[in-house]
Amino acid sequence: MLAPDGLNRMLIARDYSVSKAFEMYQKWVDWRIDFKADQIDPNSVRHLLLKETMILHRYDKARRYCLLVRPRFHTPGGHTLEELIRYGIYLIEQAMERTEAMGST
């Protein structure tokens, strides 16, 4: 789910208008539910994980995991946009879990 700093980002993005930030938050939640972002498992993106177009690399000085995108391994037209988005979401969620497990924010 969304970390507290994510809520701050929504407020900043909407010039601290609580109603606009709340509307943005609602759209974000609805999108995650419609896209089933919380139900992405490694098997559904396995073929993309094996290509290693994007990989989780070590962490930075602030102990946050880094996501490396390696375009040379991308095959244009080889995957649907939805597959690529699911792949990206899966890796970002993994990075956030690992970062939180280390006690970093």
Side-chain angles (χ1 to χ4, degrees):
M1 249 357 230
L2 189 63
D5 60 329
L7 295 173
N8 287 336
R9 288 186 186 121
M10 288 184 182
L11 280 168
I12 291 168
R14 297 297 178 249
D15 295 323
Y16 294 96
S17 169
V18 174
S19 61
K20 290 180 182 178
F22 183 70
E23 182 182 341
M24 183 180 188
Y25 174 77
Q26 283 181 316
K27 287 180 181 179
W28 175 78
V29 169
D30 291 342
W31 177 84
R32 284 190 67 91
I33 291 169
D34 290 343
F35 200 74
K36 296 182 172 73
D38 294 329
Q39 298 174 11
I40 300 171
D41 63 0
N43 290 329
S44 66
V45 292
R46 180 176 169 76
H47 57 287
L48 289 163
L49 288 169
L50 293 173
K51 283 185 73 169
E52 296 186 337
T53 305
M54 292 187 282
I55 59 171
L56 284 181
H57 192 57
R58 300 181 191 130
Y59 45 86
D60 63 7
K61 290 181 181 180
R63 296 176 56 89
R64 298 172 298 213
Y65 270 85
C66 299
L67 180 66
L68 291 180
V69 179
R70 303 182 316 170
R72 68 182 174 161
F73 293 116
H74 175 67
T75 306
H79 304 286
T80 66
L81 183 58
E82 184 173 327
E83 288 176 316
L84 295 172
I85 291 172
R86 288 187 172 286
Y87 178 43
I89 290 171
Y90 176 77
L91 287 175
I92 290 169
E93 297 277 337
Q94 289 296 307
M96 289 173 28
E97 286 178 21
R98 291 180 187 187
T99 298
E100 289 171 1
M102 288 191 314
S104 302
T105 55

